[in-house]
Amino acid sequence: MLGHFNSIIAMAANAAKQTKLPMAATDSPNLTNDENGPKKTTFQSSKATSVATNCAPRTNLPDLKWLGLYYVIYIGAGTLSFFALRNHIRGKKTNDFIDSLYMSVVTMTTVGYGDLVPHDFLSQLVCTGFITVGMLLFGIVVKLAAKYLVFKQQKVLINALHTARKMGPMEALNEIESIEIDYTKCIISLIAMAVHFVIGIFVLVTVEGMEIEDAVYCASTTMTTVGFGDESFSSEFGRMFGVLWIFTGTSCLGQLFLYVAEVYTDIEAKKLVKWVIASNIIDKTDFEAADNLEKGKVHGAADFILYKMRKIKKEDISCAMKDVGVDDRSVFDVIPAQSSEKK
């Protein structure tokens, strides 16, 4: 399951090496809807470049080369081990080396046809070890994919906030709303999976001599890693082809799942960005109203909070305080009475 994550995790790793995105200097996390603020760029263009190039919180992603090396060592060690134990493995055999490589890939991808199986304690013990190590390596790949999705969501959020500070939150929200989710990678992955499926069926029919329905059945059980084993590769060329086809087939399926998860992550990230920006907006008219309460005197944050609280009726507060069992008189004592006369 390594091949389909290479380019994706590499993109996230390159982004992690960039310098941290400069944020606008401010003492408050609140954003004001200032219509006179600078508008230097659009969120659409910022979003297109920020995911791949701009930075987010630094994340130490493992070196993908080491993971690739682990898989090479795994396949090499598995092939040599099964070759050494070839007399302890039963089933329909062709070439000893090809069979050993074929069994190593089938074990690593969890297809497990059952056409080649260990038949004594030593070979069963070795197979158990390789199965365990293979699942651990697969767990590392899943961890990298999950980290990439979280890393991408963090970058989108931080760059969206940065853009909102530059162009204004209301216009940033409008730009976010106009952005459409990209399903291109999902469609391409589906097409690649279909082509791969057809190629496998063709080889199973022409080389292995299967009927078309049996070939479709075998290809389906292989790409989904079910591998019942009643239909499998049995010729020397078929197993040579199967080594590559099984690995890439399971990779195509995993890649499709990753792209579907990425689309869902983009949808949720869009919702999160809209919520964060909207929840931090304080309308400029509220500041102006608070500042003009007493002959143009400028009030602080506490005065602004009290001004907003004046818009709440005492009956509303009383009901809320009774629900939580708090004496509402302590609340009313700190709210200054609103002047009945406006100057």
Side-chain angles (χ1 to χ4, degrees):
M1 299 296 290
L2 174 65
H4 61 287
F5 291 117
N6 285 356
S7 60
I8 298 172
I9 304 301
M11 182 185 70
N14 291 334
K17 296 177 182 178
Q18 303 293 329
T19 56
K20 194 170 184 179
L21 182 67
M23 302 296 292
T26 180
D27 295 330
S28 172
N30 292 336
L31 302 173
T32 60
N33 182 24
D34 190 354
E35 298 179 354
N36 297 324
K39 301 179 179 67
K40 297 182 179 179
T41 184
T42 61
F43 188 78
Q44 184 79 30
S45 61
S46 176
K47 194 238 181 203
T49 57
S50 62
V51 174
T53 57
N54 290 340
C55 274
R58 292 183 178 273
T59 305
N60 294 324
L61 296 177
D63 191 350
L64 201 61
K65 294 180 180 179
W66 285 104
L67 184 60
L69 180 61
Y70 295 154
Y71 270 93
V72 171
I73 293 175
Y74 176 91
I75 294 177
T79 301
L80 294 177
S81 298
F82 293 138
F83 183 80
L85 296 171
R86 59 188 179 277
N87 295 327
H88 300 267
I89 295 175
R90 62 187 178 187
K92 186 175 181 180
K93 299 182 179 181
T94 58
N95 177 278
D96 289 337
F97 178 78
I98 294 176
D99 291 343
S100 300
L101 179 61
Y102 170 77
M103 187 173 180
S104 178
V105 172
V106 168
T107 302
M108 181 188 67
T109 56
T110 70
V111 172
Y113 284 128
D115 49 355
L116 294 174
V117 294
H119 68 90
D120 60 12
F121 176 74
L122 178 61
S123 57
Q124 290 174 349
L125 183 63
V126 172
C127 282
T128 301
F130 277 102
I131 291 171
T132 303
V133 175
M135 294 304 296
L136 291 176
L137 291 178
F138 176 73
I140 295 175
V141 174
V142 173
K143 178 183 177 182
L144 287 174
K147 184 172 289 188
Y148 162 72
L149 295 176
V150 174
F151 186 62
K152 178 180 178 181
Q153 190 177 41
Q154 291 174 343
K155 289 191 294 180
V156 170
L157 175 59
I158 287 183
N159 285 282
L161 291 175
H162 175 68
T163 304
R165 293 179 188 277
K166 294 173 63 178
M167 64 184 297
M170 292 304 299
E171 292 197 7
L173 286 174
N174 293 334
E175 291 287 345
I176 293 171
E177 190 65 31
S178 65
I179 294 175
E180 296 182 357
I181 302 300
D182 187 9
Y183 296 92
T184 304
K185 289 190 288 187
C186 287
I187 296 174
I188 293 176
S189 182
L190 278 173
I191 295 174
M193 189 173 174
V195 172
H196 189 276
F197 190 77
V198 171
I199 293 175
I201 293 175
F202 176 78
V203 173
L204 289 171
V205 171
T206 57
V207 177
E208 297 295 331
M210 294 184 185
E211 298 294 333
I212 183 65
E213 59 272 14
D214 293 333
V216 172
Y217 168 75
C218 181
S220 300
T221 56
T222 300
M223 294 186 69
T224 56
T225 71
V226 174
F228 287 121
D230 49 346
E231 299 288 350
S232 62
F233 296 94
S234 57
S235 66
E236 183 174 334
F237 177 81
R239 287 184 175 176
M240 290 176 60
F241 169 80
V243 168
L244 179 62
W245 187 77
I246 292 171
F247 184 82
T248 55
T250 53
S251 297
C252 284
L253 183 63
Q255 187 176 20
L256 176 61
F257 289 156
L258 176 64
Y259 288 157
V260 171
E262 186 176 5
V263 167
Y264 180 76
T265 301
D266 290 341
I267 294 173
E268 294 301 314
K270 182 178 177 180
K271 294 179 181 178
L272 177 62
V273 168
K274 290 169 60 179
W275 178 83
V276 170
I277 295 178
S279 64
N280 284 280
I281 292 177
I282 298 176
D283 197 87
K284 186 178 179 181
T285 58
D286 287 336
F287 281 119
E288 294 174 349
D291 289 343
N292 293 329
L293 285 178
E294 298 180 10
K295 297 180 180 180
K297 179 181 178 181
V298 177
H299 294 262
D303 297 315
F304 177 72
I305 294 173
L306 294 177
Y307 163 76
K308 297 294 287 186
M309 291 180 67
R310 290 191 188 119
K311 296 183 178 181
I312 304 174
K313 296 181 180 180
K314 289 186 178 182
E315 291 78 6
D316 298 332
I317 299 178
S318 298
C319 293
M321 293 300 101
K322 288 178 181 179
D323 291 339
V324 297
V326 177
D327 186 5
D328 57 3
R329 289 177 297 178
S330 60
V331 177
F332 296 138
D333 290 342
V334 300
I335 302 178
Q338 186 173 6
S339 175
S340 60
E341 298 181 359
K342 296 183 179 180
K343 297 183 180 180

